[in-house]
Amino acid sequence: MIDKDALIAAARAASATAYAPYSRFHVGAALAFEDGATVNIVTAANVENASYGLALCAETVAVSQVMAQGVRGGLLAVAVVGGPPGPDGAAQIGGAPVTPCGRCRQVLNEIAQLGGTDPVVWSVGGDEVIEMRLSALLPHAFGPANLG
């Protein structure tokens, strides 16, 4: 079982490493992957670029990390937090919950479909955490199964 609070805390801690000089909106993501009997947590933060369209979202950076390590599936859960940086550099969580953008939903879907999972996604806001399955965030998703 995935510890929701621990995964959210890992996402918030990751947000402290964001490179967001333009938006000053730090986003952290924590992804939980099953690897046999253990669960591995991978974290990442958003990376902006002076050419705004080249920015990388935290979720995409995390998936890129695990794909580069040869992980193909096993995604169980995702936590996403975002907000302006606080004194410790981590996102000050307030306002509406931050959900993965459309691009990130598609990137998460790819690795989820490779492992046949439908991960829970926790999107964190000021006073609430939205919990839903990736399939609800990206219904009728296009993925590897559509190419066979």
Side-chain angles (χ1 to χ4, degrees):
M1 180 163 185
I2 306 300
D3 182 337
K4 176 176 86 172
D5 294 332
L7 200 63
I8 291 170
R12 184 175 183 284
S15 73
T17 65
Y19 176 71
Y22 309 107
S23 71
R24 301 232 356 108
F25 194 84
H26 287 204
V27 178
L31 284 58
F33 288 88
E34 184 176 48
D35 183 16
T38 62
V39 174
N40 296 317
I41 307 297
V42 176
T43 62
N46 57 320
V47 179
E48 294 181 347
N49 189 283
S51 178
Y52 297 146
L54 298 180
L56 299 171
C57 299
E59 302 93 323
T60 300
V61 173
V63 170
S64 297
Q65 286 180 45
V66 298
M67 292 290 266
Q69 296 168 8
V71 174
R72 301 292 185 267
L75 181 61
L76 300 175
V78 176
V80 181
V81 304
D88 63 354
Q92 295 182 60
I93 300 170
V98 175
T99 63
C101 71
R103 176 180 178 218
C104 289
R105 293 173 191 197
Q106 183 64 41
V107 169
L108 291 166
N109 176 69
E110 180 86 9
I111 198 161
Q113 277 197 17
L114 288 174
T117 62
D118 187 13
V120 64
V121 178
W122 290 301
S123 300
V124 182
D127 293 328
E128 76 177 305
V129 176
I130 296 174
E131 177 178 317
M132 59 179 35
R133 293 286 171 180
L134 180 59
S135 61
L137 282 169
L138 188 65
H140 312 290
F142 180 85
N146 298 100
L147 299 175

